[in-house]
Structure formats: C-alpha cells, structure tokens
Amino acid sequence: MRGIYRIMPPRSPILETTRNARRLARSLLAGARFGSLGVIDPETGSPFVTRVSTGSAPDGRPVLLVSELSQHTHALRANPACSLLLGEPEAHGDPLSHPRLTVTGRAEFIRRDAAEHGALRELFLETHPEARIYAAFADFRLVRMDVETAFLNAGFGKAYRLGPDDIIRPG
C-alpha cells in the first residue's frame, strides 16, 4: 500500500520580532566595547574580518575609531558596505548559546570639522579612555555605521531579523 505524503515547506527559524528582542538588540549595541567588523577586501573581493573598538552615537548607531593605516579602513574607503558582530560570550557555558547581534549597513566617515565630531569623539572616549593616547593622531578617524538590517541570535532557537527602526532611536 502506498502512502500519500505531503511535502511541507521548511518552517523558517526566524521568529516574529518582539519588544524583548528589540530591547536585547539595543542593549547589545549600547553595551558593546568591541566587535568583529566585516568588510570586502578591494584587492581580492573576498570578505575580510577584523576586531575593532566600538561605541554608540546618541541615537544608538555604532561608532568605530579606525586608523587610515589599517586594511579595514582601506576597504571601507573603497566600499562602505560592512557588517559588525557584537556580543561577547560569558565565561561559562557554550559561547554559541549567548546572545549576539550582527548589524549590516554602510560606514560613514565623520570629518573632523563636522559639528558632531567632538561630541561623538567624547562619547567614544568615555567607554574607551585608553584610546585618548591615539585618538588625536592624524591617521585616526571616527566612523559611524548607518544601519540597514540587523540579525539577533538571542540563544538557541531564538533568531530575529530586525530593521533600523527596531534598534536605532529616532533622532
């Protein structure tokens, strides 16, 4: 006897975005001091990932302090599309079960003569006082990330796709 099997499309692992997911994503963004920055290497076209110091603009967008001498800055100058992985695993337990947030968007270099530069610099240095030593060097620049999308992995079986309105505070 032949059975009739109904082939069901696979269920998406992405959950409907909730207030708690938004709150956790904003918390990860605001509390991050370091992250993994993904860029496209202009010479090879390959992905390139590096560790960077991160801060937050008043509206919650990520802010980085980068050197013009670094490979990732060279890549961002050639192609501002980037991603940033935030969320440090805790000391105990499986690191893959701890929350993390991947933010994608475009890097915007903040000119030193821009009105907002001083305030962004001071906000960054509040969470990174050690950077005062080199933040004023001629080759260092602030970069603010304009968020396009975000992906929150809040732990096993808790995945959410977020938009900028979910994690960035209105200006």
Side-chain angles (χ1 to χ4, degrees), residues 92-117:
H92 302 290
D94 182 352
L96 296 180
S97 68
H98 298 284
R100 55 210 177 267
L101 179 70
T102 299
V103 180
T104 65
R106 301 184 71 73
E108 174 193 5
F109 286 82
I110 307 299
R111 293 188 0 232
R112 287 183 183 222
D113 62 353
E116 63 202 327
H117 182 273

Side-chain angles (χ1 to χ4, degrees), residues 1-128:
M1 176 189 253
R2 286 174 132 171
I4 298 176
Y5 296 96
R6 175 183 263 167
I7 298 176
M8 301 293 289
R11 190 173 79 85
S12 173
I14 309 300
L15 301 173
E16 185 175 330
T17 303
T18 64
R19 188 170 63 195
N20 286 341
R22 287 182 191 94
R23 187 179 303 127
L24 177 57
R26 287 181 186 139
S27 173
L28 287 167
L29 197 54
R33 295 197 60 232
F34 302 96
S36 297
L37 176 68
V39 297
I40 301 298
D41 185 316
E43 294 173 20
T44 66
S46 297
F48 180 86
V49 179
T50 189
R51 192 160 176 84
V52 293
S53 298
T54 63
S56 293
D59 64 1
R61 287 185 284 173
V63 174
L64 316 172
L65 181 64
V66 299
S67 169
E68 292 287 352
L69 304 175
S70 69
Q71 180 65 23
H72 53 275
T73 302
H74 176 70
L76 288 173
R77 291 275 189 204
N79 179 352
C82 57
S83 65
L84 186 63
L85 173 63
L86 305 169
E88 295 296 317
E90 296 172 15
H92 302 290
D94 182 352
L96 296 180
S97 68
H98 298 284
R100 55 210 177 267
L101 179 70
T102 299
V103 180
T104 65
R106 301 184 71 73
E108 174 193 5
F109 286 82
I110 307 299
R111 293 188 0 232
R112 287 183 183 222
D113 62 353
E116 63 202 327
H117 182 273
L120 282 176
R121 182 180 181 275
E122 288 309 309
L123 273 174
F124 186 89
L125 293 175
E126 281 178 20
T127 56
H128 297 282

